[in-house]
Amino acid sequence: GTPVNKIAAKIQSGSNFDDLMLFLENLVKNPSKTAVARLYDFLKANDIELSDDGHFYAWKRVRGDFKDIYSGKFDNSPGKIVQMHRSQVDTDDERTCSNGLHVCSISYLDYYGTSESNKTVKVKVNPADVVSIPVDYDNAKMRVCRYEVLEEVQ
């Protein structure tokens, strides 16, 4: 359900819901109404985990040297902040492959960059930095303007 429903459920169960409150605070900083609405689709379809600071975790396939697979220009080594100007990221959800920094859910990893030499990294994304969520693959991937690379995962 929506973050509001999740907060209500956490309150009723006595759980801490600070991560959801911070997520909503970050989300309202996103200038795109479409990206905000579509982010719910991504989170709902992919059971995404929130970080303590109200961001969410996603994944990315990269080359063996941690450069992005498509252009080889972006360093995705753990600890790096990868970013580009928001205006350079395609906002059209109907264009499935286009300009922007791409991250995805675990379910999408089997569809891209499956070469043995490639690596997978876990990234942290601020909801304010989500630009578009293409409609293909059950809303399992997105274009963003910034993310933090946390670690390599198996």
Side-chain angles (χ1 to χ4, degrees):
T2 67
V4 174
N5 292 346
K6 286 184 177 180
I7 290 171
K10 281 190 167 195
I11 291 170
Q12 288 174 340
S13 70
S15 299
N16 182 314
F17 55 92
D18 291 348
D19 58 343
L20 282 166
M21 294 301 293
L22 289 169
F23 173 82
L24 289 174
E25 285 179 26
N26 289 324
L27 186 61
V28 298
K29 295 174 187 165
N30 190 315
S32 166
K33 283 174 75 170
T34 303
V36 168
R38 296 280 294 130
L39 183 54
Y40 291 135
D41 295 333
F42 176 84
L43 296 171
K44 187 173 62 187
N46 297 290
D47 197 23
I48 296 296
E49 179 187 354
L50 298 183
S51 63
D52 290 343
D53 57 357
H55 296 194
F56 62 90
Y57 299 113
W59 287 263
K60 183 170 184 68
R61 278 268 157 78
V62 296
R63 296 179 185 183
D65 63 359
F66 289 103
K67 298 284 194 234
D68 70 289
I69 292 172
Y70 184 74
S71 74
K73 294 178 181 171
F74 294 97
D75 183 356
N76 288 274
S77 298
K80 292 284 186 189
I81 303 281
V82 182
Q83 58 189 349
M84 66 190 306
H85 197 275
R86 188 180 186 99
S87 65
Q88 295 178 299
V89 181
D90 189 341
T91 60
D92 187 346
D93 292 345
E94 297 296 323
R95 273 199 292 272
T96 56
C97 295
S98 190
N99 296 335
L101 301 173
H102 296 81
V103 301
C104 67
S105 69
I106 287 176
S107 67
Y108 184 74
L109 289 173
D110 290 338
Y111 296 100
Y112 184 77
T114 56
S115 163
E116 291 262 330
S117 62
N118 289 337
K119 298 179 177 190
T120 302
V121 291
K122 183 176 183 180
V123 301
K124 189 168 83 162
V125 181
N126 186 326
D129 294 327
V130 173
V131 179
S132 58
I133 296 162
V135 294
D136 60 343
Y137 294 100
D138 270 342
N139 305 311
K141 62 182 184 175
M142 62 174 52
R143 290 187 287 265
V144 302
C145 60
R146 183 182 191 279
Y147 59 85
E148 178 184 355
V149 182
L150 299 176
E151 61 186 346
E152 181 182 356
V153 295
Q154 298 306 321

